[in-house]
Amino acid sequence: MATTPQQQATGQQQQWHELAQQLRVDSIRSTTAAGSGHPTSSMSAADLMAVLLADYLRYDFSHPQNPYNDHLIFSKGHASPLLYSVFKAAGAISDQELMTLRKFGSRLEGHPVPVLPWVDVATGSLGQGLPISVGIGLAGKYLDKLPYHIWVLLGDSEMSEGSCYEALELGAHYKLNNIIAILDMNRLGQRGETMLGWNADAYAARARAFGWHPIEIDGHNLDQISAAYQEALRQTDQPTLIVARTIKGKGFSEIENKDGWHGKALPSDMAQRAIAELGGERNIVVNVHKPQSAEPLKHDATAPLQLPRYDQGSSVATRSAYGDGLKALGASRPDVVAVDGEVSNSTYAETFAKAFPDRYFEQYIAEQQLIGSAVGLGVRGYQPFASTFAAFFTRAYDFIRMAAISRANIKLTGSHAGVSIGEDGPSQMALEDLSMMRAVFGSLVLYPCDGNQTADLLRQMADHRGISYMRTTREKTPVIYGPGEQFPVGGSKVLRQSNADKVTVVAAGITLHEALKAYDQLQSQSIAIRVIDAYSVKPIDARTLLQAAAATNGQIVVVEDHWEHGGLGDAVLEAFSGTEEQPVPQPLPKVTKLAVHSMPGSGKPEELMNAAGIDAAHIVATVKRLVG
Amino acid sequence: MATTPQQQATGQQQQWHELAQQLRVDSIRSTTAAGSGHPTSSMSAADLMAVLLADYLRYDFSHPQNPYNDHLIFSKGHASPLLYSVFKAAGAISDQELMTLRKFGSRLEGHPVPVLPWVDVATGSLGQGLPISVGIGLAGKYLDKLPYHIWVLLGDSEMSEGSCYEALELGAHYKLNNIIAILDMNRLGQRGETMLGWNADAYAARARAFGWHPIEIDGHNLDQISAAYQEALRQTDQPTLIVARTIKGKGFSEIENKDGWHGKALPSDMAQRAIAELGGERNIVVNVHKPQSAEPLKHDATAPLQLPRYDQGSSVATRSAYGDGLKALGASRPDVVAVDGEVSNSTYAETFAKAFPDRYFEQYIAEQQLIGSAVGLGVRGYQPFASTFAAFFTRAYDFIRMAAISRANIKLTGSHAGVSIGEDGPSQMALEDLSMMRAVFGSLVLYPCDGNQTADLLRQMADHRGISYMRTTREKTPVIYGPGEQFPVGGSKVLRQSNADKVTVVAAGITLHEALKAYDQLQSQSIAIRVIDAYSVKPIDARTLLQAAAATNGQIVVVEDHWEHGGLGDAVLEAFSGTEEQPVPQPLPKVTKLAVHSMPGSGKPEELMNAAGIDAAHIVATVKRLVG
């Protein structure tokens, strides 16, 4: 007997409801088993995710690399129990695995990480999912040109993060109708009510003011949810923000809409009552709609790489070589893309942008979004190069930290490093970037001193999977290496040496040239020094440093245009330390650090480098003191 | 003969115009003399500042400490030539000093810094002036309860920074009608048009959506400017955003509204033509309206400080001791105030908030604003304590960096540091905070291991002027020190020592307890170690470390719940390095670092500390290897 449309609707609603209840029950079961976690923040969004999973998501869970798959990002990463319950309902993980939530060694961590193949990026630091979705959206609309959507589950507390508004403005600017953000407005944050509570109109007004298409719904009304998804999917030039009014802890009357239940697993007796009230355990497996099937996108090189070549003896700023090198990479590799924070004429990202406008995405002055976009582009298999003033990457440190947890593949280049930028003064001087980037898990930290070295290091950044950082210099510097010379990551160059060396001077970037000047001055006074170009700050070339220390009675002077903490000096010291497995190497060095140790002002580069005590004169004075 | 109102208005307009032209001319003269700087970004806002200076600002330039003074913040710090021209027009600086702009040693740096007494905070990293104004606004409305206003000059490019929206939402939430933000919408950013160009309605819609009172004007129409200021001053429960449509380079027809003139000084021939077109040099000195006069506010202690006391042998989380200690400080000192990023029930800032609700300002999940508010409260002479999870201070690193340039007085405490937080996983684990904070100019970095130590260090943070950071622990730890014991900043405690010590183990915070366990285990195997509690990570206690190294044959093991780069291990190594003036100390140490070197997941604290290789078992194994 055929069912009427009315009956069909009722049947569908019932299916959605059953699925939603299962997601709630599983969120409770898994967190109670774990003894911690966020059941109530999962329960508020269960209806939203049930309808999505049952009817709107296009995802082949057995082929997470299918390029037509939608993306599902839990920006509110603490709702991971809900996400994992969704994965169970999709048949992707077993109930047994679900119950390993938060246990040592489990893939189901307290917050999602991409050790799970259906998780694109780590979340848990709020306000990052939306910016990353913009990066994926850019790839989808302008590069892949594929019909997938990015579904982003947002918490209401995280809407106070400025990064969300960077995402809103860029998402609208680029007309990313492939983004459908779902705001789980459950009113309650960690320690009480959010700033806006249940004021859906306020969220909608913000979305509208930023150029998004807002839809206000009751987040527990299954029909409204479904209608909202349909409306969102019809958008052609605007991203959508669905503002869904929900109830934290929805489905278990004892804790619904109650303060004090954020991030708390239910004790087992309460969990039993909750599961009973929710209709008991279920094991529904949804046959999630699959998109058309395809192999992962390939981006093979289209031409041999022809790096820029600078004549020895000429002068070029390494930031300018960055632009040239990036353009060369772009000509060879179609997967190289670039983003910049509205300073492309300073970082020279514009050299690439002019050559490949289709692969350049201006991010304006929104550094968190800059990294978010890079991470998102990386999710889609591109090789994203992001640039701004090195100082302004500090604005996005949390995004970079999280990118490491995301196992993201992003390449960062910061220009205008150190006091040597001159007149602009300290606000524009990166003096902590080496420290900041060394402390990023698995990062490369590179600091070239000339144009040819910049180009070769850039080539290696393109090949590297992970997070890499290059520090470039504002001022022109002499080209000291020949074109085509290789500078392996983890290596260094011994530029001056003799059997009579009394001191090893380790430098990189702008100070390398000061070290060479110091060498000349000292040589004229018959004092020989060894000069090492430590262009690879992390990993540092411990072997060469040890050899040099042995050759110069342990005397090492490190000179850097950076605060005295956490930079090249600390990297050199690290080379002489041991670990649990690795003995402390010999000989023990006597390391003298020349670094910036007072607040700089404005002035000419040479005045500021002298005032900071990091120019040739100070190297000479230090070496002479050391040799007595 | 009396003038008619019409003539008065015309006369006033003429005065405003003349002043504005002077500000333009002086911006050109000073930048041309400097050979760099931002004349065009100054010229667009000259009319706005002329009317403000002539008629609306209340400021006694001869008494910048007068608590009734308005505040004038150039959030677009690159318009410093305009600011300095305003100071000249106010009679605060001479024309001769104006011409020192950007020269080495001048107070007039490329971007404003508070070495000038009329500058509250350093700007130059965009999007920070508005968040800081919220902090000043909170002080003005709720603490000082004084009628001053905060005038903030914003660039349009910086309105893409998410931090501006954090300021908008908090400014509206706290009904800060004392903030009058002036958006110099000159359409052109550094490398081209801004995202919104001259779309004043869009800016106004955003402001309205966030709860601000927007006013759209022609920023070169002096009457409209004046009317807008009057309207803004009439607001009683909303901050105002004046969206002023302006022309970059206004007043010099050759460059008005032209691309390619951002941040460029005019060559002298052009400057001459510009000055001629602007009517030549002037030396108008405005008699700026002074507010009522008063002595700087005093906040003397109202009661003796009674720090919390914990019994030796009990257990308390240092984060909980932070809350207790802060409450104690609050009871003694009326200038102690607190802000927190919506996690006060985790950081225990709520202990203070409940005791002193009038001195606590919730900042929700907006960490950039969290620091901005702290800096602003510090501008008004308060002792602001800001807290969130230690990991989330990375979100505000640029604000912290700039706070150092601002010579700000802020006290930061980050909870939930390291893998020892357990199940929540890496997104919530601060593993780079020590590195990040060590690289902040002039910072203190403190890491207590027990409740009494926390309290005593907190006392010293309150007394310290500058940026201080305390890292607290999620888990309860044993109270090992007696109440009342002192822990001087820059010191350390030698907790275990004998003449037979073979190795020195340096630890802090959570790992100190692991070191003590390791001591016991090793002692039972007749291996003596020295144990040092390095609670002061910066400055590090070099003297004690050197003594220990001498006593234990140079063998030092450092163990920390932090990535292996930039943290306590590097701080210890630093103690054994020299500087230009300071010889490398002897003996040279053999430093073995135990730190987190692989990506953690979820698990129990003890499981994760073991997996990271930083628990007692790994200390024991390392020591045994070292002693052979």
Side-chain angles (χ1 to χ4, degrees), chain A residues 36 38 102-105 109-111 123-128 157 159-163 165-166 169-170 173 189-195 205-206 209-210 342-346 362 364-368 391-392 394-395 397-399 401-402 404-405 407 423-424 426-429 432 435-436 438-439 441 538 563 565-566 570 573-574 577-580 582-584 586 588-594 597-603 607-608 611 613 618 621-622 625, chain B residues 36 102-105 109-111 123-128 157 159-163 165-166 169-170 173 189-195 205-206 209-210 342-346 362 364-368 391-392 394-395 397-399 401-402 404-405 407 423-424 426-429 432 435-436 438-439 441 538 563 565-566 570 573-574 577-584 586 588-594 597-603 607-608 611 613 618 621-622 625:
Chain A
S36 67
H38 294 77
R102 290 175 162 253
K103 294 200 168 68
F104 185 73
E109 297 187 9
H111 295 77
T123 50
S125 178
L126 292 168
Q128 302 210 11
S157 282
M159 292 306 289
S160 51
E161 283 286 8
S163 57
Y165 300 95
E166 297 183 10
E169 70 196 0
L170 268 300
H173 181 74
Q190 170 171 328
R191 42 88 272 157
E193 193 169 36
T194 62
M195 232 184 303
R206 289 185 187 182
F210 278 82
E342 220 266 318
V343 288
S344 59
N345 54 344
S346 289
E362 177 60 52
Y364 298 89
I365 307 186
E367 291 83 7
Q368 297 185 79
F392 301 144
T394 55
R395 200 64 161 256
Y397 194 26
D398 196 25
F399 276 70
R401 175 183 81 87
M402 288 297 297
I405 303 175
R407 286 72 168 169
E423 287 79 0
D424 273 338
S427 65
Q428 319 293 301
M429 295 170 178
E432 55 290 295
S435 178
M436 174 174 94
R438 281 180 70 232
F441 179 69
K538 180 185 172 190
W563 295 129
H565 300 98
D570 281 6
L573 283 164
E574 177 199 329
S577 68
T579 64
E580 183 176 353
Q582 202 161 8
V584 178
Q586 298 284 342
L588 296 172
K590 298 182 264 291
V591 176
T592 301
K593 285 177 171 186
L594 303 185
H597 45 68
S598 62
M599 182 57 75
S602 290
E607 290 170 333
L608 294 171
H618 287 272
T622 303
R625 178 175 63 73
Chain B
S36 67
R102 289 173 161 258
K103 293 198 170 69
F104 185 73
E109 297 187 8
H111 295 77
T123 51
S125 179
L126 292 169
Q128 302 210 10
S157 283
M159 291 305 290
S160 51
E161 283 287 7
S163 57
Y165 300 95
E166 297 183 10
E169 69 197 0
L170 269 299
H173 181 74
Q190 170 171 329
R191 45 89 270 162
E193 193 170 37
T194 61
M195 232 184 300
R206 290 185 187 183
F210 277 83
E342 219 267 319
V343 287
S344 58
N345 53 344
S346 289
E362 178 59 55
Y364 298 91
I365 306 185
E367 291 82 5
Q368 297 185 80
F392 301 143
T394 56
R395 200 62 162 260
Y397 195 26
D398 196 22
F399 276 69
R401 175 183 80 88
M402 289 296 298
I405 304 176
R407 287 70 169 168
E423 288 79 0
D424 273 338
S427 65
Q428 319 293 302
M429 295 169 178
E432 55 290 294
S435 178
M436 173 174 96
R438 281 179 71 232
F441 179 69
K538 180 186 172 190
W563 296 128
H565 300 99
D570 282 6
L573 283 164
E574 178 200 329
S577 69
T579 65
E580 185 177 350
E581 292 81 25
Q582 202 160 7
V584 178
Q586 297 286 345
L588 296 172
K590 299 183 263 292
V591 175
T592 300
K593 284 178 172 187
L594 303 186
H597 45 67
S598 62
M599 181 60 74
S602 290
E607 290 170 333
L608 294 170
H618 288 272
T622 304
R625 180 175 64 71

Side-chain angles (χ1 to χ4, degrees), chain B residues 37 47 89 99 207 223 240 257 394 401 480 487 519 590:
Chain B
D47 295 314
M99 300 318 262
D223 285 335
T240 296
N257 195 28
T394 56
R401 175 183 80 88
I480 60 170
F487 303 91
Y519 172 90
K590 299 183 263 292

Side-chain angles (χ1 to χ4, degrees), chain A residues 288-309:
Chain A
V288 178
H289 293 286
K290 291 178 185 165
Q292 78 176 84
S293 155
E295 289 303 303
L297 303 178
K298 287 249 189 340
H299 303 285
D300 295 333
T302 50
L305 177 61
Q306 296 198 296
L307 287 176
R309 301 168 69 86

